[in-house]
Amino acid sequence: MSEDLRSELEKFLQTLNIQTTCVEHPPVFTVEEMMPHLQQLSGAVSKNLFLKDKKKKSLWLVSARHDRQVNLNDLAKKLGVGSGNLRFADEAIMLEKLK
């Protein structure tokens, strides 16, 4: 995330009285890889799932507690996509959409 975007986000969260802490760490692919970088923090830790439907028409960025198991079939039903139709989006789509 660029410094400008980070600053803008931090200011917005401050207007909502939401306290944040930003931790820089190398890229990781799992919660297990991330946890050693967060040992000095307290509070909730989240994971982000970038998902698409089977037909590649819709995208979702889902945040969940790091220790919460996310059942994609159940989530698909709640999103109205239908069981078995939710998948992880690939990195190229994520970079294009989220920059």
Side-chain angles (χ1 to χ4, degrees):
M1 178 181 285
S2 75
E3 287 298 318
D4 290 339
L5 287 174
R6 177 179 296 157
S7 177
E8 187 178 328
L9 176 59
E10 287 172 347
K11 286 177 186 173
F12 175 70
L13 293 172
Q14 285 174 355
T15 66
L16 300 173
N17 293 320
I18 297 173
Q19 292 182 332
T20 62
T21 302
C22 183
V23 176
E24 296 285 337
H25 61 79
V28 296
F29 296 99
T30 67
V31 170
E32 291 77 21
E33 288 180 82
M34 180 180 62
M35 294 310 288
H37 302 286
L38 306 178
Q39 290 178 353
Q40 74 280 10
L41 298 178
S42 62
V45 174
S46 64
K47 59 184 173 184
N48 298 303
L49 309 174
F50 189 61
L51 306 170
K52 65 180 178 179
D53 68 346
K54 187 176 181 178
K55 296 177 183 176
K56 300 179 185 177
K57 292 183 178 182
S58 298
L59 299 168
W60 292 271
L61 180 60
V62 177
S63 292
R65 283 185 53 99
H66 78 284
D67 55 357
R68 175 98 190 238
Q69 201 166 18
V70 178
N71 182 305
L72 292 184
N73 286 330
D74 291 344
L75 182 58
K77 290 175 190 174
K78 290 178 182 178
L79 293 172
V81 178
S83 181
N85 290 321
L86 204 55
R87 307 203 175 347
F88 287 96
D90 60 47
E91 182 180 9
I93 295 171
M94 181 181 67
L95 292 174
E96 174 192 335
K97 298 297 182 183
L98 300 179
K99 299 189 181 17

